[in-house]
Amino acid sequence: IDRRTIHVADILAGADEYPESRRLALQIGYRTVLCVPLVHAGEAIGHILIRRAEVRPFTERQIELVNTFADQAVIAIENTRLFDEVQARTRDATEALEYQTATSDVLESISRSPTDAQPVFEMIAKSAARLCAAQFCHVFRFDGELIHFVASYGHSTQVAETMQMGRWGGYPMHAGRGTAAARAIASGSIEEISDVHADPEYVHGNIAAMASISGIVAVPMLKDNRPIGVIAVARSQAGRFPVRQIELLKTFADQAVIAIENTRLFEAEQASKRELQESLEYQTATSDILSVISRSPNKLQPVLDAIVSTAFRLCPSDRALIMLPSRGGYLAAARAGFTPAEVEKRMSQGTIPVDRGSVFGRVVQEGRTIHVADVRSDSGYTLMPGLIVDDRRTVLGVPLVHEGEVVGVIVLIRTRVEPYSQRQIELIETFADQAVIAMSNARLFEEIVQKSRELEIASQHKSQFVANMSHELRTPLAAILGYAELIQEGFYEPQGPKSLDALTRIRSNGKHLLGLINTVLDIAKIESGQFTLNMTEYAIESVVETVRAATESLAQNKKLTLTTSMDKPLPVGFGDEQRLTQVLLNLVGNAIKFTDAGQVSIAAAQRNGHFAVSVTDTGPGIPLDQQDRIFDQFHQVDSSIKKAKGGTGLGLAIAKQIVEMHGGRIWVESTLGKGSMFQMKLPIRAEIRRGANV
């Protein structure tokens, strides 16, 4: 205590000062005592004690020698302490380096295997067992319900495989108290079992005895504070694991979570890509089938073949077919996956009756999609007629429904038990809708074709009737006009002024009626394809002059100025002069009819190998939205004009047909309140067009 040398010549003589030493001296027999302290940094760290049985004090030199020994002992003790301290620090540094190396190796494994966590689990198991001086290490995954054994180190390959298959250790197992891993999953925290043999809740005591293990620690893998796995380490000695080892296992657990999350994200990305690719394939397929429908609106078979082949490919099946009603049963209208021999055999069997024992029969009877995962487990399924070997297992039937009635069935067959996914079922239901559209289109197209044939026949009959009636009307009308002319000229007897005026009116209205009959006859010929052109050489100046002479009196009666303008010279044309005169006469007659003041002008010129002929008036003009429609049959700008000016609305339609048969074009340019200009572009040497002859 005093950190000084104590020298007692006779311990028995100082009994009052050292009572314990006097009692001990009496027991073991000694008298003289020398005690030299070992002092380091002002603190006593030990002492050198020398006793003599007789009373014989130590000399000063002896005391100095022992003090020297004490100093040397202190040096030796300090050297040992420093060495132990260095060794401890070296061990700590080595252990820390090993831990850092192990965690670095695990991180490297994660970077090398971003899509597969298994190599990471195996490296963690190996590193944890080695660094924790354990018999073995197990790594488990937790799916939210069961704990699954995924990796181990320390066991033989046979034992590890046995545990993975659940034959030993009870894996997969539920969370609970039976094992350290189960407890860690249940609690979401670190669980230690100091001695499994003394733990009444531990259920694998026989396995622990066989493996010679006692102490176990289990560290959970936590994702958002939720356990998704666990690392369990076991060793032979009982007791708690060092804090440093538990911290290492926590680091491994965090790294395992990273590996699991990387794998999950990769799998999610791959699933998203697969889903996107699948959606793109499905959209492309439906678009392709719609394209087939649009290309073949009157043909059903190409659509059915496209649907079957696409369904067979996108919903991998062994056979696919579309069944359509036929003579009281059903026949395969399209198929895929059948051999030629199978096709021939099925064709020879005729129609298949609707029977609830077959999937397609149920679809027809119930009018809904039927999906049987395994027909052999379906008590209602029966062998279809004519099948020697029924190898079908998974069958999907989708109805083709039109206006609430089943009009066909798409059937997909797999010879293995592999149910179709919901997306695949929805795709086939989309194909069924498209098949119905194709069937409806084909039916409607056939109806339209039939109606068109009927309308064509009716049109031909109408045109023939109109032509016949026109001829029949023209004959008596010509006689009426002829007799009226003879009477007016006094062939029979002279007539008075009133009679002559009446005859003039008769002849005028008769000519108008004859013009109407000729117009209707032209339309009838156009519709029946009998309208022809008489192609000869002609002079466009002659056409213009003929029209001017024929309409001049009409213009004078309305006090309109009628002018003509023609380039000189103009080449000789080739076309139907009479029909072109009819066109120009119609245009000029309309211009005079609808113009109440001002003038009407006719112009003809040569432009780039064409005749450019125009008729311009100062009439009321034509609205922009009516300028294309006025060339349609029976169309006039408005009913008030029709009532005021008269007309059938056929003249411009006939004019357009005549011009186009010459290879030309006719159009109008007009502004309301500022008049109109009808223009024709006619080839100088017209080619022979449909309905023309020479």
Side-chain angles (χ1 to χ4, degrees):
I1 294 175
D2 293 339
R3 301 184 295 281
R4 61 185 178 85
T5 299
I6 303 296
H7 182 207
V8 182
D10 186 357
I11 194 66
L12 294 180
D16 293 337
E17 187 176 2
Y18 304 106
E20 290 298 323
S21 295
R22 182 173 182 277
R23 182 181 58 80
L24 188 61
L26 290 172
Q27 288 178 353
I28 61 176
Y30 65 88
R31 300 295 295 274
T32 299
V33 178
L34 175 63
C35 186
V36 179
L38 308 179
V39 180
H40 176 68
E43 297 291 334
I45 61 174
H47 62 270
I48 299 174
L49 179 63
I50 304 175
R51 300 188 184 103
R52 285 176 175 171
E54 70 277 12
V55 177
R56 185 162 57 90
F58 292 91
T59 66
E60 288 297 327
R61 293 196 63 182
Q62 289 174 335
I63 293 172
E64 289 178 1
L65 177 62
V66 175
N67 276 309
T68 300
F69 287 163
D71 293 339
Q72 292 174 333
V74 169
I75 293 171
I77 291 171
E78 184 62 16
N79 286 346
T80 301
R81 185 188 65 78
L82 291 173
F83 179 79
D84 291 342
E85 189 176 287
V86 170
Q87 290 296 99
R89 289 179 179 176
T90 301
R91 284 194 299 272
D92 289 346
T94 301
E95 187 180 68
L97 180 60
E98 288 180 339
Y99 287 5
Q100 290 176 1
T101 302
T103 55
S104 176
D105 289 344
V106 173
L107 289 174
E108 184 179 355
S109 178
I110 292 173
S111 66
R112 287 198 309 268
S113 304
T115 63
D116 184 8
Q118 189 61 34
V120 180
F121 295 153
E122 292 173 356
M123 176 167 285
I124 287 175
K126 180 179 179 180
S127 299
R130 178 175 59 83
L131 296 177
C132 294
Q135 261 65 26
F136 60 81
C137 175
H138 293 163
V139 180
F140 304 92
R141 288 288 305 275
F142 182 58
D143 62 9
E145 181 179 358
L146 294 174
I147 304 170
H148 300 268
F149 182 91
V150 294
S152 72
Y153 182 80
H155 287 304
S156 66
T157 304
Q158 182 179 3
V159 171
E161 291 177 352
T162 302
M163 291 188 70
Q164 286 176 326
M165 291 185 289
R167 297 176 184 171
W168 188 49
Y171 293 100
M173 67 160 44
H174 291 279
R177 301 288 302 172
T179 68
R183 295 179 193 181
I185 291 294
S187 66
S189 59
I190 298 171
E191 294 286 344
E192 276 194 88
I193 302 177
S194 298
D195 188 355
V196 296
H197 306 293
D199 190 317
E201 294 180 294
Y202 191 77
V203 297
H204 294 163
N206 59 333
I207 300 174
M210 292 173 58
S212 300
I213 61 172
S214 294
I216 299 178
V217 63
V219 178
M221 308 172 193
L222 299 178
K223 173 70 170 60
D224 299 329
N225 294 321
R226 179 175 52 84
I228 60 174
V230 64
I231 300 173
V233 175
R235 63 186 180 187
S236 57
Q237 67 269 30
R240 299 180 67 84
F241 283 75
V243 174
R244 286 177 63 89
Q245 292 181 354
I246 292 177
E247 290 298 323
L248 175 66
L249 294 176
K250 288 170 62 177
T251 300
F252 284 161
D254 292 340
Q255 291 177 325
V257 170
I258 294 173
I260 293 170
E261 185 65 9
N262 285 352
T263 303
R264 184 190 67 79
L265 291 174
F266 176 78
E267 291 175 349
E269 182 182 4
Q270 292 301 106
S272 177
K273 287 182 179 179
R274 287 193 298 270
E275 184 175 345
L276 181 62
Q277 181 65 28
E278 187 179 70
S279 297
L280 180 60
E281 288 181 345
Y282 287 2
Q283 291 176 4
T284 302
T286 53
S287 176
D288 290 344
I289 291 173
L290 289 174
S291 178
V292 174
I293 292 174
S294 65
R295 290 198 307 269
S296 307
N298 60 329
K299 296 178 181 178
L300 179 60
Q301 193 60 46
V303 179
L304 299 182
D305 291 339
I307 288 175
V308 162
S309 62
T310 305
F312 182 78
R313 175 174 55 86
L314 294 182
C315 304
S317 304
D318 296 292
R319 291 189 286 276
L321 61 160
I322 295 181
M323 309 286 289
L324 297 182
S326 177
R327 300 190 301 276
Y330 273 73
L331 279 178
R335 56 178 62 81
F338 291 87
T339 65
E342 288 175 325
V343 173
E344 184 178 356
K345 180 175 178 59
R346 289 176 180 272
M347 291 295 290
S348 66
Q349 293 169 358
T351 59
I352 300 175
V354 176
D355 185 351
R356 283 198 62 80
S358 66
V359 172
F360 102 87
R362 292 185 214 172
V363 173
V364 173
Q365 292 181 358
E366 299 181 23
R368 63 182 182 89
T369 297
I370 301 293
H371 182 209
V372 181
D374 187 359
V375 295
R376 296 185 186 177
S377 301
D378 189 323
S379 58
Y381 181 78
T382 58
L383 185 69
M384 289 186 65
L387 292 182
I388 300 175
V389 177
D390 192 358
D391 60 353
R392 61 189 66 192
R393 297 298 297 272
T394 297
V395 181
L396 172 65
V398 177
L400 279 57
V401 181
H402 178 65
E403 296 182 352
E405 180 182 354
V406 177
V407 295
V409 181
I410 299 176
V411 180
L412 298 185
I413 301 166
R414 286 173 174 166
T415 58
R416 60 198 179 280
V417 178
E418 183 184 339
Y420 291 89
S421 68
Q422 185 60 37
R423 285 177 60 85
Q424 290 174 334
I425 294 174
E426 291 172 356
L427 175 66
I428 302 305
E429 289 175 340
T430 300
F431 286 168
D433 294 338
Q434 291 179 323
V436 171
I437 292 173
M439 294 170 69
S440 298
N441 285 353
R443 179 180 56 80
L444 291 173
F445 188 86
E446 183 59 32
E447 291 178 0
I448 291 172
V449 170
Q450 180 63 28
K451 292 294 184 183
S452 297
R453 285 195 291 265
E454 294 175 359
L455 289 173
E456 185 178 356
I457 293 173
S459 178
Q460 290 176 352
H461 290 167
K462 181 207 70 174
S463 298
Q464 189 63 43
F465 171 78
V466 170
N468 292 339
M469 288 301 298
S470 297
H471 283 294
E472 293 298 324
L473 289 172
R474 286 203 303 176
T475 300
L477 183 59
I480 292 172
L481 291 174
Y483 282 114
E485 184 178 0
L486 291 174
I487 293 172
Q488 189 178 29
E489 291 178 355
F491 180 78
Y492 297 104
E493 60 184 25
Q495 301 294 320
K498 290 185 177 181
S499 296
L500 291 175
D501 183 61
L503 289 171
T504 300
R505 292 177 181 274
I506 289 173
R507 290 185 63 191
S508 175
N509 285 288
K511 289 180 179 179
H512 179 66
L513 180 58
L514 183 61
L516 293 177
I517 292 173
N518 288 335
T519 299
V520 172
L521 181 60
D522 285 342
I523 288 294
K525 288 180 178 180
I526 291 172
E527 290 180 346
S528 63
Q530 298 176 0
F531 193 83
T532 60
L533 298 179
N534 184 20
M535 308 292 280
T536 60
E537 290 188 342
Y538 70 95
I540 192 68
E541 301 97 320
S542 176
V543 172
V544 172
E545 183 57 30
T546 298
V547 171
R548 186 201 63 77
T551 58
E552 188 173 21
S553 60
L554 296 176
Q556 290 174 353
N557 290 337
K558 296 188 69 174
K559 296 182 174 53
L560 299 175
T561 301
L562 179 62
T563 63
T564 60
S565 172
M566 289 179 284
D567 289 353
K568 299 291 185 178
L570 289 173
V572 175
F574 182 76
D576 189 326
E577 182 177 1
Q578 180 181 354
R579 292 297 187 184
L580 292 176
T581 301
Q582 178 183 348
V583 170
L584 189 57
L585 186 62
N586 181 277
L587 296 179
V588 175
N590 281 347
I592 294 172
K593 181 195 303 184
F594 292 102
T595 301
D596 294 327
Q599 67 178 14
V600 174
S601 302
I602 307 171
Q606 178 185 0
R607 300 283 187 274
N608 300 322
H610 289 80
F611 286 133
V613 182
S614 63
V615 176
T616 306
D617 64 57
T618 57
I622 302 170
L624 183 63
D625 61 343
Q626 299 287 330
Q627 291 178 15
D628 289 332
R629 298 180 59 196
I630 60 173
F631 294 98
D632 296 339
Q633 292 183 19
F634 305 107
H635 180 79
Q636 288 187 327
V637 175
D638 61 50
S639 58
S640 62
I641 294 179
K642 181 177 180 180
K643 289 179 180 178
K645 304 297 183 180
T648 62
L650 295 175
L652 291 178
I654 296 173
K656 182 174 183 290
Q657 183 69 25
I658 293 172
V659 171
E660 290 180 351
M661 288 177 68
H662 279 80
R665 187 168 73 91
I666 185 171
W667 70 98
V668 64
E669 295 177 0
S670 179
T671 303
L672 282 176
K674 295 184 179 180
S676 304
M677 176 188 289
F678 283 83
Q679 302 183 71
M680 288 189 294
K681 182 180 180 182
L682 292 168
I684 295 175
R685 308 295 293 181
E687 297 179 359
I688 299 175
R689 301 281 174 163
R690 181 183 62 84
N693 60 13
V694 179

